[in-house]
Amino acid sequence: MTVQTFVPGQAEIHMTEAARAQARREIERAGADGIRLDLDESGCSGYMYELNFVQAPEDGDRRFEVDGVALYVPEKWLTMLNGLEIDYVKEGVNSLFKFRNPNATGECGCGESFTVEDVDEV
């Protein structure tokens, strides 16, 4: 059995070059300051990722600067999102942001939501 200690100030979220490039385009198009990554308690498996283009962070958000992209994440979700990688991929005729979460212990069949076990909210 291994024990990992989570320190909120040391949380990491990564974006691939494709995700950063697309985020910059969409931030500019929206006239926004950055992206807010939130979780919604819904979906088949429990949590869904939610991206919004915002002018400013909300109270309780932590700012990540990822190669010129401002990414805001609510502190309460940092344990579930620590180590997350955001990618931008083409799947058939669709292009979308894809999330690779090392804390996810399961996903629904459609890939829209995920489950996390044994992780406490901050």
Side-chain angles (χ1 to χ4, degrees):
M1 179 174 159
T2 61
V3 177
Q4 293 182 332
T5 302
F6 175 72
V7 180
Q10 297 176 359
E12 293 184 0
I13 296 180
H14 309 278
M15 296 177 82
T16 65
E17 179 53 42
R20 291 189 306 264
Q22 183 64 25
R24 281 189 211 100
R25 284 190 291 272
E26 292 191 29
I27 288 168
E28 184 177 328
R29 187 178 310 129
D33 174 61
I35 299 174
R36 185 166 195 268
L37 171 62
D38 202 354
L39 294 179
D40 187 20
E41 293 185 55
S42 66
C44 306
S45 293
Y47 296 96
M48 293 179 68
Y49 299 103
E50 195 174 282
L51 286 178
N52 294 296
F53 296 91
V54 297
Q55 295 298 332
E58 293 184 14
D59 288 340
D61 281 357
R62 164 108 182 271
R63 180 187 169 107
F64 293 85
E65 187 72 32
V66 186
D67 195 23
V69 175
L71 181 65
Y72 303 106
V73 180
E75 291 270 347
K76 71 179 185 174
W77 301 127
L78 288 179
T79 55
M80 283 194 246
L81 297 175
N82 188 34
L84 179 75
E85 180 184 70
I86 303 169
D87 196 3
Y88 188 74
V89 298
K90 293 185 180 188
E91 294 180 348
V93 296
N94 298 315
S95 298
L96 60 133
F97 286 101
K98 192 87 164 178
F99 303 92
R100 293 185 192 95
N101 189 339
N103 304 300
T105 55
E107 293 182 343
C108 67
C110 65
E112 291 291 318
S113 63
F114 68 98
T115 301
V116 176
E117 295 177 14
D118 299 328
V119 176
D120 296 324
E121 289 184 23
V122 174

